[in-house]
Amino acid sequence: LRLIIIFMDKGKIITIFLWLALLTNFLLNGYSFFNYFALMLVSIHFFEFLIFFKRIARSSDVSDGFVLTLVFGLLHIKDLKK
């Protein structure tokens, strides 16, 4: 785990903590605003996956690309080969 964190940029680390906070809020029945915010992020990242599908399919396994795009969005896509 430590090696993974060393090779990740700051944006992706912050994104992971954001998703963990949103998941915690959901599991503890916290503020509904944050649940809607998480749903909005997933929806946006899903559309990013559809828009950049060819680029994702060329550079990695589609299922891995799908998960990484849902989690990181453009932070993942910008690192892919064009």
Side-chain angles (χ1 to χ4, degrees):
L1 180 63
R2 185 174 178 194
L3 289 174
I4 293 172
I5 292 174
I6 290 172
F7 292 112
M8 293 178 69
D9 62 354
K10 291 178 184 177
K12 288 184 179 181
I13 294 170
I14 292 170
T15 303
I16 289 173
F17 283 115
L18 172 68
W19 281 116
L20 289 174
L22 291 172
L23 179 64
T24 303
N25 181 71
F26 175 75
L27 294 175
L28 297 177
N29 294 323
Y31 296 105
S32 61
F33 168 79
F34 292 117
N35 293 336
Y36 289 121
F37 179 69
L39 181 63
M40 182 184 68
L41 283 178
V42 169
S43 301
I44 291 169
H45 289 177
F46 178 74
F47 283 113
E48 289 172 352
F49 174 76
L50 294 177
I51 292 168
F52 294 103
F53 178 78
K54 288 182 183 178
R55 190 169 171 184
I56 293 167
R58 272 187 270 129
S59 65
S60 66
D61 182 40
V62 175
S63 59
D64 291 342
F66 178 71
V67 171
L68 291 172
T69 303
L70 282 184
V71 174
F72 298 116
L74 288 175
L75 292 175
H76 169 66
I77 293 170
K78 73 175 178 68
D79 294 336
L80 299 177
K81 296 177 184 177
K82 291 185 179 185

